[in-house]
Every structure is written in C-alpha cells, then in structure tokens.
C-alpha cells in the first residue's frame, strides 16, 4: 500500500479499520483536556471499560456471600482461574490444559526454573540474551547461585554484533551448538523489551532441545502481541505478565505455560501448594501432594480473585477479537507509523534512527527510536503535548501503536507533534 503522511489518508485507514470500534471500549488519560495518544501499551495497557464490572461483581459477591462465594458466586472463586484456560490458550497457541494464571511474572519464572533448571556438573549452562530485562537477569543469576554455580561461567549471553542493534538467530544457534552438552537451559525474552525484536521461537526451541536442553520463554512483550504456537513449537515452558499488551491492570497476575509432555512426569520437582493439588480432592486436606495433570499443577496458593477479575474481562475481549485480526492491524499500523517517522525524519534532517528490525517477521507492535542529540527535552515536549511515550536510557523512545485502541490518525497527529518538538527543542 502507498502511504501518505496526511490527515485525510490516516482517516481513510481508520474508516476501513474493522477494529476501530474497540477504541471506544478503553479509557484514555487526558492531558490539558485532550485525549492522549497512547504509545505505552507495551508497558501498561489501557483499562477496558468492562473491567470495572468484573471487579464490582467480585466485590458484591464478597459482600453478599462472604465465604460462600467460593462456591456460590456467579463465577465461583474456587475455580475462577479455570475460566482463563480456553481463551488464553488461543492467545498463546496452547492446549487449554497447558496454560494457567497465577502469581506474577518473575515469580513464575522462578517457579518454572525450579522444575526446568536442575544443573549438574556436566550440564549446567544457561543461554540467554545480552541486556535482557533486568528482572530476568537478576532472576537467572540468583537461580544459578542458589544451585552453587558461578554465574560468570554458567550464564552465556548472546551478544549483538558490533554496530548492530539486534541479535541474529544464526548467532543464537551457533552458540547453542558451541555450548552443546553443557547446555541445561535456554531462556530468552520472546520479544526484546528494548528494541522490539521478535525472536524465532520455533527454530531456537528446536535447536536448544536438540542439544539436550530445556527451552523456556519470557513472553512479557509477546503475549497478546505476536502469533504464538507454544504447543506446536514444543516450547517446554513460558510465562508472561498480563498488564502490558493484555490490558489486565497494574502489576496483575501472570500467565504460565507448561507443555503437555511434562504434565505426567512426576520426576520433575516443583514447589507445591494446595492449589496445585488434585482439584476433586483439594478440600479433603490430605497429607500427600497429588498434582493436577496440567499447568494448574504448578499453582501454589488460592488465587487473588479481585485481580483476576479485570484480567478475565480483558481475556474475553481478546477472545472476541482474536489474535489474527489484532496482528493484521498491528502490522499495518506499525508500518504506517514507520512511514510517518521516516517522512518526518526527512523533513527535520535525520535526527533519529529506528533500531527495531525493519523486517516485519522480526518485529511486532513496537518501534524503538534512537534520538541523536538532546533526546530528553524532546521526550518532555511530547509528554506535555499529549503523547505518552516512554524513555529508556541512554536515548531511546519506545512507541507501541497497540492495535486494540490506537488509531491511524493518532500516528499522523503524533508525526506533526514530533516535528514541532524537534524544531522547538
Ligand atoms: C515487564 C517485564 C518483566 C516484569 O516482571 P514482573 O515480575 O511482572 O514485575 C519481566 N521481564 C520482562 C522481559 C518484562 O518485559
């Protein structure tokens, strides 16, 4: 499609957009009385209008039923989390028994590493990406130390080549071969939080497993954003937070995936709790742990229903719209934003550079823009003028044109504000 950097053209794209009506289903902040252009759905998704009703329902059931709500609420609490299995499994390409919701992301990665990282002196190394999200770095390092190994010799980071912004799949595959029999685990972010690079999950998973390692993925920036087939790609385990693209609310519960092949393997260790116990027998208060045969078997505590409520509201919206429609719009709106940025860059004489891959296969909903010169002042200008973006040191602005609620006209309007900002700062 031939793009044009005009308001009329952007409005035309909005008029043809099948998802345009969903913009009305979300609550936008306002700055100086004007609805913002929201680019930080990769950090905290907007609030769906429906989520309040889901929370109110739990509050009312609690008021009216108190403890009886566990069994007699409209959506009983004791198995509330099971309502996620169907719709969430479609978001990540899994069987319903392979997904669960519980805890928060870093906690779930720790719990899953208890199962899938069991180093021996011959097989103990972990491959991860260079400059992973800090929580992942701390998590992996602390697990290695917990097992008594030295992180310097155990954690192998895949580096970017000099002068390049993104990691090459071939370099990941070469490193896997090189580490070979010593490799215990590959654990990478499916979409890099800083650059927006999408990793080839299928190919890397296969290569890691051929080397005899388990392969897990942190899908914080992938769930609700990219096409996933966790089951068919034979991923061992994965976890994601729900407050980014999945719009569930600040700090909300995490989703977790454990591949079916591991459900009946009772030799795999795990940290157990009563919510992972055989659900028919859970309230018999038996002494021996008999795990649910599925991802639910990794549950520990009974669930925070008040926080699952807005997550459920959001998951139902994903189910209604479906990932294919979201991905179709995501690709078009991201390309349009890229085009607008390139046009503005020409007009203001190359003040910035997009560091996200240009290949549509290797990117999703995010463009990371490296600003030459005084980036911070421009960032402040954007925020004051109704554009919510985020800032990452040393000089990067991340833009996520989330297909659920961003419009093409937002992209055009943003370009105009950006141009004025560059000229003014
Ligand atoms: C957002 C994000 C996290 C956040 O972890 P929490 O446990 O939810 O605080 C972790 N890892 C990655 C890659 C992220 O993008």
């Amino acid at each position: 499609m031939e793009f044009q950097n005009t308001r009329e053209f952007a409005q035309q794209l909005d008029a043809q957009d099948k998802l345009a009506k969903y913009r009305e289903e979300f609550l936008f902040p306002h700055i100086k009385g004007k609805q913002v252009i929201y680019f930080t759905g990769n950090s905290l998704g907007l609030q769906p209008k429906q989520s309040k009703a889901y929370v109110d329902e739990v509050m009312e059931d609690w008021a009216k039923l108190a403890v009886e709500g566990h069994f007699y609420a409209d959506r009983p609490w004791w198995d509330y989390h099971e309502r996620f299995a169907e719709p969430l499994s479609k978001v990540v390409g899994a069987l319903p028994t392979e997904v669960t919701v519980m805890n928060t992301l870093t906690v779930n990665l720790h719990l899953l590493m208890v199962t899938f990282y069991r180093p021996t002196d011959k097989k103990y190394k972990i491959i991860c990406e260079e400059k992973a999200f800090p929580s992942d770095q701390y998590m992996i390092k602390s697990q290695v130390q917990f097992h008594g190994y030295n992180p310097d010799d155990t954690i192998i980071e895949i580096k970017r080549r000099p002068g390049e912004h993104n990691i090459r799949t071939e370099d990941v595959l070469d490193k896997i071969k090189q580490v070979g029999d010593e490799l215990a685990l590959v654990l990478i972010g499916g979409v890099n939080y800083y650059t927006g690079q999408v990793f080839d999950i299928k190919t890397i998973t296969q290569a890691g497993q051929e080397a005899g390692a388990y392969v897990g993925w942190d899908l914080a920036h992938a769930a609700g954003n990219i096409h996933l087939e966790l089951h068919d790609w034979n991923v061992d385990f994965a976890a994601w937070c729900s407050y980014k693209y999945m719009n569930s609310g600040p700090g909300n519960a995490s989703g977790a995936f454990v591949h079916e092949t591991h459900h009946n393997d009772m030799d795999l260790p795990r940290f157990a709790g009563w919510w992972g116990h055989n659900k028919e027998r859970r309230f018999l208060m038996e002494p021996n742990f008999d795990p649910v045969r599925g991802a639910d078997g990794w549950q520990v505590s009974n669930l925070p229903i008040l926080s699952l409520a807005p997550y459920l509201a959001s998951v139902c919206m994903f189910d209604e719209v479906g990932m294919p429609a979201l991905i179709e719009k995501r690709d078009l709106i991201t390309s349009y934003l890229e085009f607008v940025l390139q046009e503005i860059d020409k007009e203001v004489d190359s003040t910035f550079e997009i560091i996200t891959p240009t290949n549509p296969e290797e990117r999703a909903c995010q463009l990371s823009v490296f600003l030459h010169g005084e980036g911070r002042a421009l960032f402040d200008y954007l925020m004051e003028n109704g554009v919510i973006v985020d800032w990452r040191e040393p000089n990067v602005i991340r833009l996520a044109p989330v297909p659920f609620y961003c419009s093409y006209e937002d992209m055009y309007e943003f370009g105009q504000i950006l141009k004025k900002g560059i000229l003014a700062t």
Side-chain angles (χ1 to χ4, degrees):
M1 187 185 299
E2 279 284 321
F3 289 139
Q4 293 168 25
N5 187 24
T6 63
R7 189 176 298 279
E8 294 68 39
F9 184 81
Q11 286 173 340
Q12 243 174 44
L13 288 177
D14 282 325
Q16 292 158 10
D17 174 13
K18 291 193 282 293
L19 300 189
K21 62 175 197 267
Y22 284 97
R23 189 171 164 84
E24 300 304 317
E25 300 292 325
F26 289 88
L27 294 163
F28 284 76
H30 288 72
I31 291 180
K32 295 179 189 157
K34 209 174 115 227
Q35 178 171 316
V36 301
I37 298 172
Y38 196 71
F39 277 123
T40 43
N42 56 351
S43 187
L44 181 68
L46 291 180
Q47 182 182 136
K49 288 179 181 167
Q50 283 183 26
S51 50
K52 192 167 182 302
Y54 280 68
V55 176
D56 287 347
E57 178 189 282
V58 178
M59 292 299 283
E60 276 162 32
D61 284 336
W62 178 25
K64 288 198 206 117
L65 301 167
V67 72
E68 297 284 280
H70 282 298
F71 296 103
Y72 302 111
D74 284 342
R75 295 184 177 92
W77 307 329
W78 81 284
D79 61 355
Y80 197 95
H81 62 283
E82 291 180 12
R83 289 173 181 77
F84 289 78
E86 270 298 325
L88 197 53
S89 66
K90 288 189 232 158
V91 173
V92 297
L95 305 176
T97 53
E98 290 175 321
V99 297
T100 193
V101 289
M102 57 183 185
N103 314 307
T104 43
L105 172 56
T106 310
V107 172
N108 281 342
L109 289 171
H110 272 299
L111 290 174
L112 290 164
M113 277 186 81
V114 165
T115 299
F116 293 103
Y117 180 58
R118 288 167 300 135
T120 64
D121 289 350
K122 285 214 173 70
K123 198 173 190 61
Y124 61 101
K125 292 191 177 170
I126 302 179
I127 283 184
C128 61
E129 81 221 88
E130 174 192 45
K131 294 194 193 142
F133 191 86
S135 196
D136 298 35
Q137 294 184 45
Y138 309 150
M139 187 257 314
I140 293 173
K141 199 167 172 184
S142 66
Q143 284 272 343
V144 167
Q145 287 167 330
F146 172 76
H147 286 285
Y149 289 86
N150 175 3
D152 295 340
D153 148 58
T154 304
I155 302 171
I156 316 281
E157 294 188 345
I158 310 287
K159 309 242 181 267
R160 291 160 180 81
R161 296 189 187 185
E164 295 188 6
H165 295 298
N166 295 288
I167 289 172
R168 297 195 190 191
T169 306
E170 61 198 278
D171 290 351
V172 183
L173 302 182
D174 284 350
K175 190 62 88 182
I176 288 173
K177 277 221 182 81
Q178 196 186 320
V179 180
D181 287 345
E182 291 182 343
L183 185 63
L185 176 68
V186 178
L187 180 52
I188 302 179
V191 177
N192 181 268
Y193 81 100
Y194 191 83
T195 61
Q197 177 183 12
V198 176
F199 283 85
D200 185 343
I201 297 178
K202 182 181 177 189
T203 305
I204 295 171
T205 300
Q206 195 182 344
Q209 290 168 345
E210 276 165 14
Y214 286 120
V215 183
W217 293 89
D218 179 336
L219 300 178
H221 281 258
N225 178 22
I226 68 171
H227 173 72
L228 292 165
E229 292 179 37
L230 299 183
H231 176 81
D232 286 350
W233 296 341
N234 203 36
V235 165
D236 289 300
F237 69 93
W240 54 93
C241 48
S242 58
Y243 47 79
K244 293 175 178 167
Y245 291 101
M246 297 217 58
N247 312 319
S248 74
N252 210 340
S254 162
F257 166 92
V258 179
H259 199 280
E260 190 184 30
T261 48
H262 305 302
H263 293 181
N264 291 309
D265 184 351
M266 294 304 128
D267 293 335
L268 288 174
R270 68 182 98 190
F271 285 171
W274 72 321
W275 234 249
H277 188 73
N278 180 337
K279 69 179 222 188
E280 268 72 47
R281 309 186 64 82
R282 185 174 297 147
F283 297 101
L284 300 180
M285 304 310 203
E286 299 164 323
N288 290 323
F289 180 62
D290 172 23
V292 178
R293 306 298 196 263
D296 282 350
W298 273 260
Q299 292 270 352
V300 181
S301 294
N302 84 97
L303 289 142
I305 304 302
L306 276 171
S307 70
L308 291 194
Y311 189 6
L312 187 59
S314 166
V315 165
C316 291
M317 287 178 80
F318 272 86
D319 202 37
E320 185 182 310
V321 177
M323 285 309 296
L326 286 165
I327 287 170
E328 192 187 331
K329 176 172 174 189
R330 177 203 75 189
D331 285 346
L332 189 60
I333 198 168
T334 306
S335 298
Y336 188 57
L337 173 62
E338 182 183 39
F339 167 80
V340 168
L341 284 167
Q342 284 161 348
E343 291 298 297
I344 302 299
D345 196 40
K346 279 186 223 154
E347 291 175 31
V348 296
D349 210 10
S350 296
T351 18
F352 56 82
E353 174 191 358
I354 300 175
I355 62 172
T356 305
T358 43
N359 173 6
E361 300 282 302
E362 283 181 85
R363 73 175 189 205
C365 183
Q366 176 179 323
L367 295 179
S368 299
V369 181
F370 186 90
L371 303 167
H372 301 294
E374 280 300 309
R376 189 75 212 190
L378 178 60
F379 169 78
D380 293 339
Y381 179 92
L382 292 174
M383 295 291 279
E384 279 159 25
N385 286 278
V387 184
I388 302 195
V389 293
D390 86 0
W391 172 260
R392 285 284 174 266
E393 294 296 338
N395 237 10
V396 165
I397 285 177
R398 299 186 306 167
L399 306 166
V402 175
F404 237 134
Y405 45 71
C406 289
S407 71
Y408 294 91
E409 193 172 358
D410 281 347
M411 303 304 115
Y412 168 78
E413 183 71 24
F414 164 66
Q416 297 305 303
I417 298 171
L418 178 69
K419 185 163 80 181
K420 280 192 208 126
I422 290 171
L423 298 174
T425 56

